[in-house]
């Protein structure tokens, strides 16, 4: 599986960005895709999970109500709409894939390259 995240950039606090994750490879019927983020000196943090088979989503509290994950089946794309961005959302964002919800605890089979999101105050 190959993943490519894009859509990062610089935005003012309160603004929005949409990240995209393009996925290619086999067995897309039973995977869980996730979004993580990482700031310098900190561990990579799980923030959003999405089940490709049934559309179940999971958001950590820090992004719940502000971030929304969606997909485009035809394009094998997953999107992360980020609204009401805060300076503390500044991080490198990664998409990832695994076979089950162990992704919530960092269980990842494949990582995509990160995309930088910077939120200015």
């Amino acid at each position: 599986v190959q993943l490519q995240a894009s859509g990062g950039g610089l935005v003012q606090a309160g603004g929005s960005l949409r990240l995209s994750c393009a996925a290619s490879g086999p067995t897309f019927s039973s995977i869980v895709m996730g979004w993580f983020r990482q700031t310098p000196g900190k561990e990579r943090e799980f923030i959003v999970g999405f089940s490709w088979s049934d559309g179940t989503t999971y958001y950590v509290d820090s992004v719940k109500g502000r971030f929304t994950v969606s997909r485009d089946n035809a394009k094998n794309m997953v999107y992360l709409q980020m609204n009401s961005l805060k300076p503390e959302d500044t991080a490198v964002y990664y998409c990832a894939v695994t076979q089950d919800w162990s992704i919530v605890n960092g269980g990842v089979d494949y990582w995509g390259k990160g995309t930088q999101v910077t939120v200015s105050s």
Side-chain angles (χ1 to χ4, degrees):
V1 176
Q2 292 184 326
L3 303 170
Q4 180 65 52
S6 60
L10 174 64
V11 65
Q12 289 188 333
S16 298
L17 280 174
R18 189 179 79 159
L19 305 184
S20 302
C21 181
S24 61
T27 59
F28 276 95
S29 62
S30 60
I31 64 170
V32 176
M33 298 189 74
W35 287 96
F36 290 72
R37 64 187 182 187
Q38 187 172 27
T39 54
K42 293 189 177 181
E43 292 187 359
R44 202 167 290 186
E45 170 195 23
F46 167 84
I47 56 171
V48 179
F50 173 79
S51 170
W52 196 267
S53 61
D54 63 14
T56 302
T57 57
Y58 179 84
Y59 301 88
V60 297
D61 287 345
S62 59
V63 306
K64 196 176 295 182
R66 300 188 299 122
F67 291 10
T68 303
V69 65
S70 62
R71 68 178 172 184
D72 183 328
N73 288 346
K75 296 181 179 178
N76 278 348
M77 294 281 288
V78 174
Y79 304 100
L80 184 65
Q81 179 67 42
M82 305 186 297
N83 298 329
S84 301
L85 283 162
K86 305 175 182 179
E88 52 262 44
D89 294 318
T90 296
V92 178
Y93 284 70
Y94 299 85
C95 59
V97 162
T98 191
Q99 297 293 316
D100 52 41
W101 282 100
S102 65
I103 201 168
V104 174
N105 297 314
V108 171
D109 293 326
Y110 300 97
W111 290 101
K113 291 185 178 179
T115 184
Q116 176 71 46
V117 171
T118 302
V119 184
S120 63
S121 57

